[in-house]
Amino acid sequence: MKIVIIDYGAGNIQSIIFAIKRLGYDAVLSHDVKEIQEADKVIFPGVGEASSAMAKLRASGLDVVIPKLKQPVLGICLGMQLMCRSSEEGNTEGLGIFDLDVKKFSNQVKVPQIGWNQITSLKTDLFKGIPEKSYIYLVHSFYAPLDTETIASAEYGLKYSAALQKDNFYGVQFHPEKSSEAGSTILNNFLTVI
């Protein structure tokens, strides 16, 4: 199985590579369009700021490539947010895979949300074997609202999408590579079940 992590200069990629290695697989870090298109599974990570991350995707032409991918794609954290229509962060136009606009948490809660939180309303095989109210690890100031594409939710001042799915595209707001056993299971489900 060929697993490609999209390399566009945004993200702590090493922890994802190590998490995949712990599951017994090797992942390739690449920005090569052909290599990404030929992968069995694609992981689209992201840490940082939305507008500069989108600028990097546009500069490499990956903004056109990613929405056309046919194999399973997993967006992580900022990667999931960039898969949405837009983000309030830097007033950024996203990839438009998910028909959602990413919003900033209100000042009623401490921003960013950093740490462990529970996920509920789990749907699809991405969460196979994951009990309701499992704890996952998050670091984010922006969120995707609940929608028909929501496959897991979390609560931080309000309920929001902890995970999204549309066709072959999956997105998780949390970091599976830092979410202990639950995160390992979710990553493994993406690699083997989906």
Side-chain angles (χ1 to χ4, degrees), residues 93-109:
E93 187 182 328
L95 297 173
I97 294 163
F98 300 120
D99 200 20
L100 280 164
D101 300 308
V102 173
K103 313 270 187 205
K104 189 172 202 290
F105 281 120
S106 79
N107 295 330
Q108 308 298 308
V109 292

Side-chain angles (χ1 to χ4, degrees), residues 18-171:
F18 290 143
I20 290 168
K21 216 177 249 310
R22 282 196 299 272
L23 294 169
Y25 300 98
D26 287 315
V28 178
L29 188 57
S30 181
H31 53 78
D32 181 82
V33 170
K34 192 167 187 287
E35 192 164 32
I36 293 167
Q37 289 170 332
E38 290 175 354
D40 297 305
K41 301 285 167 85
V42 174
I43 294 176
F44 176 38
V47 172
E49 193 271 332
S51 60
S52 57
M54 271 309 296
K56 288 174 184 171
L57 289 175
R58 284 194 196 97
S60 60
L62 289 171
D63 61 318
V64 177
V65 173
I66 294 167
K68 293 179 180 165
L69 293 174
K70 300 293 181 221
Q71 67 277 68
V73 178
L74 178 65
I76 295 175
C77 193
L78 180 61
M80 180 191 102
Q81 293 184 0
L82 295 178
M83 291 162 94
C84 294
R85 186 171 50 210
S86 72
S87 173
E88 286 183 357
E89 186 175 25
N91 196 21
T92 305
E93 187 182 328
L95 297 173
I97 294 163
F98 300 120
D99 200 20
L100 280 164
D101 300 308
V102 173
K103 313 270 187 205
K104 189 172 202 290
F105 281 120
S106 79
N107 295 330
Q108 308 298 308
V109 292
K110 191 177 174 206
V111 178
Q113 175 185 196
I114 300 177
W116 297 87
N117 201 345
Q118 292 176 302
I119 46 173
T120 58
S121 309
L122 309 179
K123 300 175 190 150
T124 82
D125 282 344
L126 189 64
F127 296 102
K128 189 176 180 183
I130 302 288
E132 284 282 323
K133 297 187 177 175
S134 288
Y135 280 90
I136 41 78
Y137 187 80
L138 299 128
V139 182
H140 63 127
S141 303
F142 296 80
Y143 68 92
L146 295 178
D147 189 74
T148 52
E149 296 164 343
T150 303
I151 56 170
S153 59
E155 198 164 335
Y156 191 65
L158 48 75
K159 275 197 167 178
Y160 66 89
S161 294
L164 298 167
Q165 187 244 325
K166 182 179 182 182
D167 303 324
N168 55 310
F169 292 96
Y170 294 78

